[in-house]
Amino acid sequence: MTSPVPGAALCQLVGVKKNYPMGDLVVQALKGVSVEVTAGEFTAFAGPSGSGKSTVLNLIGCLDRPSEGQVFLEGRDVATLSDSALGDVRARRIGFIFQSFNLIPVLTAFENVELAMKLSGASEKGQKERVEEALRSVGLADYMTRRPAQLSGGQQQRVAIARALVKQPALIIADEPTANLDSKNGAAILDLMRTMNADNGTTFLFSTHDKMVMDRARRIIRLSDGQVIDDERVEPSPTPVAAGG
Amino acid sequence: MRLLYALALRNARRNVRRSMLTATTIMLGVALLTCGMAWTRGAFGGILQKASNVMGPVRIVTPKFAQKEQLFPLAENMPEIEPILAIARATPGVVGAYPRIQMPVTITVGDDIGEHFALVQGAPNEWYDQALDLSHHIVEGRMFKDDTEAVVGMTAASDVGAKLGDELVLLGQTQDGSISPIKVKIAGISDLGSGAQNRFVYVSLGKMQWMADIEHGATEILVYGATLDDAQAIGEALKVNPGLKDLAIARWDERPPFSAIAGIIGALQSIAAGVIVFITALGVLNTMLMSVLERTAEIGVMRAMGLKRGATVALFVMEAMGIASIGGAVGAVVGGAIAYFVLEVHGVNLGNAVNKMPPGFAIDSVIHADWEPYMLVQSFALGLVMAIVGGALPAIRASRIQPVEAMRSRR
Ligand SMILES: Nc1ncnc2c1ncn2[C@@H]1O[C@H](COP(=O)(O)OP(=O)(O)O)[C@@H](O)[C@H]1O
Ligand SMILES: [Mg+2]
């Protein structure tokens, strides 16, 4: 098992462009983005809607391929990997958290986490314990047998975090994880993610246009119109909960 | 994977209304198939059984007789039948071998010069019992007792206005072509349920041999096994028997008209079943496609988490099969009940339409379906086929959903 080495380049975008054909037109979603992310980061991609945040996260998460430029993940050029190899990378090394939670509605909280675990190809041994541990760590020990519809939005997003965490990935990607939550729940989710980052050293990359969320990030990469316009590192605040104000 | 299986079955219960619709479609398809199977088995099975009984499951004739049998060539007979009958009866599986002579005649009652044609048939009494069950199909009078009497089919009898006890004159031929009239007393009038059979006059073998001037012989020898299925083996054994090497041996379904239609019946049945499966599958396709489109985001999530394309296909096909197993089970039982209680026990009356069928097709006016328990299994299995066929396309579509859809979809 390769545990992330703090400071080593976990992923790197080099001159990445992404074009989407739209009828006769071509939408340039990314116009040459170069970014390097080190293991252990807790980084926000910030910018207005349509600035390219989701597109960047898709590329880093191996959900999509760049039109131009290169994407390296753990030193490997993603372009050299087949679709099924990309699938394996996603299943084993990357956890996903989505804006609309995207839990499987017919599975219980436990089963949602278990499914991610199984799809990652983790060994059968100790799976149940790991799933329970993941749900306990997000504070849902008493909700394991509930279905998503029986959980609040905040609780659903916690399940999603447990689902991303359970396979102990190198990287967790969260596209606007708080956009569907009220500010209190949103702050709680961010704090939870930050605790996971601090305790396990899991790298978190997330996108947001919410000031409250940006304030909790330790690095903020600002995007505008498909380009990086600012890359700012924030000193770790000793009390993350208070930082929201 | 157990979890995937559970997921598929729970997905099936997710939109209960839609799944009910799918299940109902499959139920109707399966019920229709069951009735169709029982119906064709009853209708054709009965026809084939009767026809083969009348034609002889396996028949021995001279090669020249086989060539022009429509002309009733009496000259192409087997003059000594005893050794041939002995060989046939010694063949494994054979339960009976009977000589027969048939010829066309004109029939008249009394001194009238008739213009009415009929077919006269001469065979041993055991053949009339076993192949035609003639004595149980006599509607007036009784079975003939000796060479002076005959049983007349009801159509032939009414053609000439013959009544019980009348003297019937049959004008036929001898084997060398000279005119040969015989006189018989009508002992009984028969109804074998088909227009063709009711145009026959039945006499003893001896009377027929005398009329045709074939003293110890016959034109045909008909060989029977315990069931129709035995005809295959019996036919093969007789064909290789050196004692019969100068004779023509043919199974009933190798001879006209069945040589032509046996294959067609099978093909038509398969096509009909195929059409039902296809139409039902279209219904399944419709509802499953709705489910796939509705679940784009979550399929994207699972694909992002590493669900393989093949597993995605399996997920939806299993869901369709889960629904189909309920619809199919109900359909097989409901269809079986209809097939048995309505079509088989009650029967369907086709009226006079069937009386216009050509000779050889001995069709009853009331057709009874023939439902067998194996149809439960077979139609249920076809229900699953409907689900696989109808579920395949939506499932493949689901597997084409790219993982990136998980991010893109907003609700
Ligand atoms: N699949 C797509 N097809 C066409 N255009 C797209 C697609 N995805 C994103 N875009 C366009 O690319 C640009 C960046 O989109 P996105 O990365 O989703 O921005 P953000 O997440 O910052 O709102 C937008 O102009 C958007 O319309
Ligand atoms: Mg976005």
Side-chain angles (χ1 to χ4, degrees):
Chain A
M1 170 116 206
T2 48
S3 51
V5 183
L10 177 66
C11 97
Q12 206 180 354
L13 304 191
V14 183
V16 165
K17 296 184 181 172
K18 180 72 190 178
N19 303 328
Y20 292 109
M22 284 269 285
D24 293 341
L25 298 171
V26 172
V27 180
Q28 290 184 296
L30 298 180
K31 299 171 178 169
V33 171
S34 298
V35 174
E36 197 178 314
V37 177
T38 6
E41 281 192 20
F42 194 74
T43 296
F45 285 88
S49 176
S51 57
K53 306 181 296 291
S54 294
T55 306
V56 167
L57 291 181
N58 284 349
L59 291 170
I60 296 174
C62 296
L63 295 170
D64 213 346
R65 294 171 188 275
S67 307
E68 265 180 62
Q70 286 166 297
V71 177
F72 294 93
L73 193 74
E74 297 184 308
R76 276 187 297 181
D77 186 347
V78 167
T80 63
L81 299 177
S82 69
D83 278 359
S84 82
L86 274 188
D88 285 343
V89 170
R90 284 196 308 266
R92 289 170 214 280
R93 306 299 293 150
I94 305 174
F96 294 95
I97 299 169
F98 305 95
Q99 174 183 336
S100 36
F101 323 137
N102 281 349
L103 299 177
I104 311 300
V106 292
L107 298 182
T108 63
F110 181 91
E111 288 165 337
N112 264 285
V113 177
E114 187 188 14
L115 179 64
M117 180 100 179
K118 298 219 147 140
L119 291 175
S120 77
S123 72
E124 289 284 324
K125 216 171 124 245
Q127 270 191 7
K128 187 168 178 285
E129 289 71 24
R130 280 174 68 183
V131 171
E132 284 171 355
E133 172 55 32
L135 281 164
R136 206 174 298 123
S137 72
V138 296
L140 291 178
D142 297 334
Y143 299 86
M144 295 201 204
T145 57
R146 296 231 187 148
R147 300 245 177 127
Q150 300 166 315
L151 296 170
S152 71
Q155 288 169 328
Q156 287 186 51
Q157 200 61 307
R158 284 165 191 269
V159 176
I161 293 175
R163 180 171 75 174
L165 271 174
V166 73
K167 51 193 185 182
Q168 297 174 341
L171 173 63
I172 289 182
I173 288 177
D175 193 14
E176 312 222 17
T178 61
N180 279 5
L181 298 174
D182 60 35
S183 57
K184 184 166 156 283
N185 272 306
I189 288 295
L190 251 291
D191 291 340
L192 179 61
M193 283 166 51
R194 222 174 134 165
T195 310
M196 299 299 171
N197 170 255
D199 292 358
N200 311 333
T202 310
T203 310
F204 278 83
L205 296 182
F206 50 97
S207 67
T208 187
H209 52 255
D210 182 344
K211 176 87 171 59
M212 179 273 290
V213 175
M214 279 179 243
D215 286 346
R216 284 170 161 77
R218 284 170 48 192
R219 178 183 174 191
I220 303 172
I221 301 170
R222 288 180 199 278
L223 291 173
S224 175
D225 199 18
Q227 280 171 312
V228 177
I229 53 164
D230 188 29
D231 188 346
E232 170 196 2
R233 283 170 201 273
V234 187
E235 279 309 303
S237 68
T239 49
V241 182
Chain B
M1 198 208 298
R2 180 193 54 81
L3 194 56
L4 218 54
Y5 183 67
L7 180 56
L9 291 190
R10 282 188 217 169
N11 276 338
R13 288 194 309 231
R14 201 154 149 183
N15 188 327
V16 176
R17 257 211 184 147
R18 186 184 301 157
S19 296
M20 289 281 279
L21 193 67
T22 312
T24 308
T25 309
I26 290 175
M27 187 203 87
L28 291 176
V30 167
L32 196 60
L33 272 178
T34 309
C35 291
M37 283 190 240
W39 176 260
T40 44
R41 185 182 159 88
F44 291 119
I47 293 169
L48 299 186
Q49 183 71 49
K50 280 197 168 191
S52 67
N53 257 349
V54 173
M55 296 168 67
V58 180
R59 188 185 67 169
I60 305 171
V61 295
T62 65
K64 283 190 174 161
F65 182 92
Q67 269 170 30
K68 44 185 177 177
E69 65 175 297
Q70 299 90 327
L71 307 175
F72 300 95
L74 295 173
E76 313 300 345
N77 60 55
M78 296 167 281
E80 288 295 335
I81 50 173
E82 278 312 323
I84 303 172
L85 288 173
I87 290 174
R89 285 174 184 144
T91 302
V94 171
V95 298
Y98 311 101
R100 182 173 73 178
I101 302 172
Q102 299 188 117
M103 76 166 87
V105 290
T106 60
I107 51 175
T108 48
V109 179
D111 294 332
D112 268 6
I113 303 298
E115 282 292 309
H116 297 285
F117 292 92
L119 284 168
V120 63
Q121 191 166 70
N125 280 2
E126 305 87 73
W127 183 80
Y128 285 121
D129 272 350
Q130 290 189 13
L132 295 189
D133 194 18
L134 184 59
S135 53
H136 290 112
H137 288 86
I138 289 175
V139 288
E140 256 185 274
R142 51 166 174 79
M143 185 65 187
F144 60 79
K145 281 210 175 102
D146 55 38
D147 285 0
T148 66
E149 295 180 340
V151 169
V152 183
M154 57 188 287
T155 312
S158 74
D159 277 357
V160 292
K163 300 182 302 295
L164 225 50
D166 282 354
E167 293 261 289
L168 195 66
V169 176
L170 311 180
L171 197 59
Q173 289 186 333
T174 63
Q175 62 164 312
D176 57 19
S178 25
I179 287 177
S180 171
I182 57 166
K183 212 178 246 186
V184 283
K185 204 172 137 201
I186 299 178
I189 293 176
S190 65
D191 178 8
L192 277 158
S194 92
Q197 282 295 330
N198 288 347
R199 256 177 225 111
F200 267 92
V201 177
Y202 306 101
V203 300
S204 69
L205 180 66
K207 189 74 171 178
M208 205 57 194
Q209 285 173 327
W210 186 86
M211 184 180 184
D213 194 20
I214 308 171
E215 207 176 337
H216 304 292
T219 48
E220 304 171 286
I221 289 173
L222 311 179
V223 185
Y224 294 79
T227 72
L228 193 50
D229 295 335
D230 298 334
Q232 177 86 26
I234 293 172
E236 273 160 26
L238 293 179
K239 279 174 195 176
V240 298
N241 192 308
L244 306 176
K245 70 178 186 323
D246 294 330
L247 295 168
I249 290 137
R251 236 174 27 239
W252 66 284
D253 54 345
E254 293 168 337
R255 288 149 48 197
F258 286 100
S259 49
I261 66 162
I264 296 174
I265 291 177
L268 286 179
Q269 263 175 285
S270 311
I271 290 172
V275 167
I276 295 174
V277 169
F278 182 76
I279 291 174
T280 312
L282 278 184
V284 176
L285 185 137
N286 204 21
T287 48
M288 287 302 292
L289 208 52
M290 279 160 75
S291 297
V292 169
L293 294 179
E294 213 171 77
R295 296 181 207 155
T296 299
E298 75 185 64
I299 296 165
V301 171
M302 289 191 284
R303 298 273 289 124
M305 295 192 312
L307 188 72
K308 299 272 190 300
R309 285 189 63 165
T312 315
V313 171
L315 191 62
F316 278 89
V317 171
M318 283 194 299
E319 177 177 345
M321 287 177 73
I323 297 171
S325 59
I326 294 183
V330 176
V333 170
V334 169
I338 295 173
Y340 185 74
F341 291 108
V342 179
L343 302 177
E344 181 164 344
V345 174
H346 185 259
V348 175
N349 195 338
L350 294 185
N352 282 327
V354 293
N355 287 341
K356 305 205 167 66
M357 298 295 276
F361 290 88
I363 304 185
D364 283 346
S365 297
V366 177
I367 294 195
H368 294 270
D370 183 8
W371 180 84
E372 293 284 323
Y374 79 83
M375 292 174 187
L376 269 182
V377 180
Q378 202 169 330
S379 59
F380 179 79
L382 282 169
L384 294 185
V385 172
M386 295 169 192
I388 294 171
V389 172
L393 222 64
I396 289 170
R397 168 135 196 183
S399 78
R400 293 241 169 90
I401 291 173
Q402 291 302 310
V404 67
E405 298 292 343
M407 289 269 203
R408 208 174 282 155
S409 76
R410 295 286 129 87
R411 264 175 282 180

